[in-house]
Amino acid sequence: MDAGREADHRSAESFREFVANRSSALLRTAVLLSGGDRHAGEDLLQNALIKVAGRWNRVEDPEAYVRQVLYRQQISRWRLKWPRREVSYGQVPDTAAAGGDDAAAELRVVLRAALSRLTARQRTVLVLRYFEDLPEADVARLLGCSVGTVRSTTHRSLARLRAVAPELALLGAADGEQPPSRDYSPVEVRP
């Protein structure tokens, strides 16, 4: 009986250590999945950790498992019949740290606002593809859809992101410099 308690104690300590070491990285992902809403991201992460805590002894790769629970919970949220009420603010809060880079802070604020205007599915696909840097096949497996669906959703999501926040392209360019434009005019090809 003492051996069982000792194993439970080691398991609980291992879980606490994992949460202490990885919670900030996992919270960033959860906030992005929640459209920049820190409170919703905290709720998403907390619910995921509660689910993982009960299976902790059987988990081989804890971080991958927690991330998969985060993604699946977010999918469940967007499949709800009644969408959650949006929270709107009169003014975008300035989250830049004192002495931080103003352009980077502005980019974060604009990106967070633009992501919040996407659907949960679009936001999730973009976070998985570009923030988590997962290949299309892995995103399809996590979301339970085909690779073609991931590609088309990524394409539509990026187009929507460009439409709702054209200033994102301008923030990446140097002062006074316009971002490079693509020339789609016909070109004569000679044999």
Side-chain angles (χ1 to χ4, degrees):
M1 185 122 171
D2 250 351
R5 286 183 186 169
E6 181 65 28
D8 288 344
H9 178 69
R10 276 182 281 153
S11 176
E13 191 59 36
S14 169
F15 180 72
R16 280 190 211 99
E17 185 178 314
F18 171 78
V19 171
N21 292 333
R22 299 305 304 152
S23 62
S24 62
L26 293 168
L27 180 60
R28 282 192 298 273
T29 300
V31 168
L32 285 171
L33 287 170
S34 300
D37 184 349
R38 183 169 176 88
H39 298 293
E42 289 171 348
D43 288 346
L44 184 65
L45 179 58
Q46 184 175 12
N47 289 336
L49 290 173
I50 288 169
K51 287 183 178 186
V52 171
R55 297 176 180 91
W56 188 251
N57 291 334
R58 298 180 299 246
V59 175
E60 291 179 24
D61 184 358
E63 185 151 353
Y65 189 77
V66 171
R67 288 182 185 276
Q68 186 168 25
V69 171
L70 283 172
Y71 308 144
R72 290 179 188 255
Q73 279 186 218
Q74 186 61 26
I75 291 168
S76 295
R77 283 184 177 184
W78 87 54
R79 288 181 177 162
L80 290 175
K81 282 186 175 182
W82 296 281
R84 294 171 51 103
R85 189 175 70 83
E86 273 188 35
V87 178
S88 57
Y89 300 94
Q91 185 177 4
V92 177
D94 184 16
T95 58
D101 183 19
D102 289 341
E106 184 179 348
L107 179 62
R108 280 193 305 273
V109 169
V110 169
L111 183 59
R112 200 172 270 160
L115 283 172
S116 71
R117 295 183 63 193
L118 299 177
T119 66
R121 183 178 187 94
Q122 290 173 328
R123 191 170 46 248
T124 302
V125 168
L126 290 181
V127 168
L128 292 175
R129 285 286 292 129
Y130 298 108
F131 181 76
E132 294 292 324
D133 200 25
L134 293 177
E136 291 169 339
D138 289 351
V139 174
R141 184 181 46 76
L142 282 170
L143 299 180
C145 62
S146 69
V147 173
T149 301
V150 170
R151 288 180 184 155
S152 63
T153 304
T154 302
H155 177 76
R156 284 190 212 106
S157 303
L158 289 173
R160 175 84 174 129
L161 198 61
R162 289 182 191 108
V164 299
E167 61 270 29
L168 286 175
L170 297 174
L171 285 174
D175 290 332
E177 182 183 318
Q178 291 295 321
S181 62
R182 294 185 177 157
D183 182 14
Y184 292 106
S185 58
V187 177
E188 182 180 344
V189 178
R190 294 183 183 181

